Amino acid sequence: MFMVKENLAQKDRLEKIYKRVKLVYGSIPPQMEFLGNIDAGYLEDFLKKVMKIVKHPNINPNLFAFIRLHIAFKEGYEYCKKFNTKFLLAKGYEQIDLDSAIESINNIPFDSKHQKLASFAIKAIYNSNTCTQKDLDALEALNWTQKDIFDAVEHAGDIFRNGRILSAYSVKA
């Protein structure tokens, strides 16, 4: 799936990391195997970010998956489209929920507070020069902290960036 050689130099270290990954995911998702094959440290850093969003104290962790889904379809990140679709369907969301979110991030099946945060995260990635203090003030008025807002924007940016990297390394027909 990805054009990368097996990381034999860090095999023992990776086996320990992969054991933990299998406990959570049941298998090794290809993007994680890719990162491990580049360097075990990259995979460990990625897993730390995953845990940060899964255990976020204020943001519903599924919001991050909808942000990923929206960007994946907008950018044509095939692997990310499949992974996040499968992930969200397994979480109990309906295909109509996913289709609506793909069409517009404003259609995610969350409360208005989460919708506005997701909308700003997408705006920050695609139209960053239009973000204003008024936008931030409106989010803070909904009781989002600066950190919450940054976490959502950073995640959207990470997905945009990581999707480009994975696309560069994807096996092409």
Side-chain angles (χ1 to χ4, degrees):
M1 169 168 240
F2 295 108
M3 299 179 289
V4 64
K5 295 175 180 77
E6 187 177 357
N7 182 351
L8 297 174
Q10 296 181 310
K11 187 174 181 173
D12 292 341
R13 182 175 172 195
L14 283 169
E15 284 178 7
K16 290 176 186 171
I17 299 168
Y18 289 157
K19 272 186 184 177
R20 293 190 327 242
V21 171
K22 285 180 185 177
L23 288 174
V24 175
Y25 294 94
S27 64
I28 309 298
Q31 81 275 23
M32 292 185 196
E33 186 175 19
F34 165 78
L35 288 172
N37 281 326
I38 298 296
D39 183 81
Y42 289 148
L43 178 55
E44 288 171 329
D45 291 346
F46 180 80
L47 292 172
K48 286 177 190 170
K49 282 194 172 222
V50 168
M51 294 315 299
K52 179 180 164 185
I53 64 169
V54 168
K55 295 181 177 188
H56 200 286
N58 301 320
I59 301 173
N60 181 320
N62 293 334
L63 180 80
F64 294 108
F66 274 98
I67 289 171
R68 292 192 306 269
L69 181 79
H70 180 80
I71 292 171
F73 273 86
K74 188 172 177 103
E75 295 300 316
Y77 299 156
E78 292 305 318
Y79 173 75
C80 296
K81 290 191 312 190
K82 291 175 191 168
F83 181 84
N84 288 293
T85 295
K86 185 177 175 182
F87 177 84
L88 287 166
L89 290 173
K91 290 285 187 177
Y93 292 97
E94 301 290 329
Q95 187 63 49
I96 193 164
D97 297 324
L98 279 60
D99 293 341
S100 293
I102 291 164
E103 180 184 323
S104 172
I105 197 66
N106 296 320
N107 295 334
I108 58 173
F110 290 90
D111 60 23
S112 174
K113 179 179 175 177
H114 279 81
Q115 288 172 341
K116 286 179 170 55
L117 180 62
S119 179
F120 181 77
I122 296 300
K123 177 181 179 179
I125 298 310
Y126 288 104
N127 298 299
S128 57
N129 60 339
T130 66
C131 295
T132 66
Q133 184 65 52
K134 185 177 175 183
D135 294 324
L136 296 172
D137 291 344
L139 290 169
E140 289 174 1
L142 295 171
N143 292 318
W144 291 120
T145 67
Q146 286 186 133
K147 183 181 180 319
D148 296 334
I149 298 164
F150 183 84
D151 288 345
V153 171
E154 180 187 39
H155 189 70
D158 283 347
I159 296 312
F160 186 84
R161 174 188 165 271
N162 292 346
R164 296 286 170 121
I165 293 169
L166 290 174
S167 294
Y169 280 89
S170 292
V171 173
K172 280 82 170 173

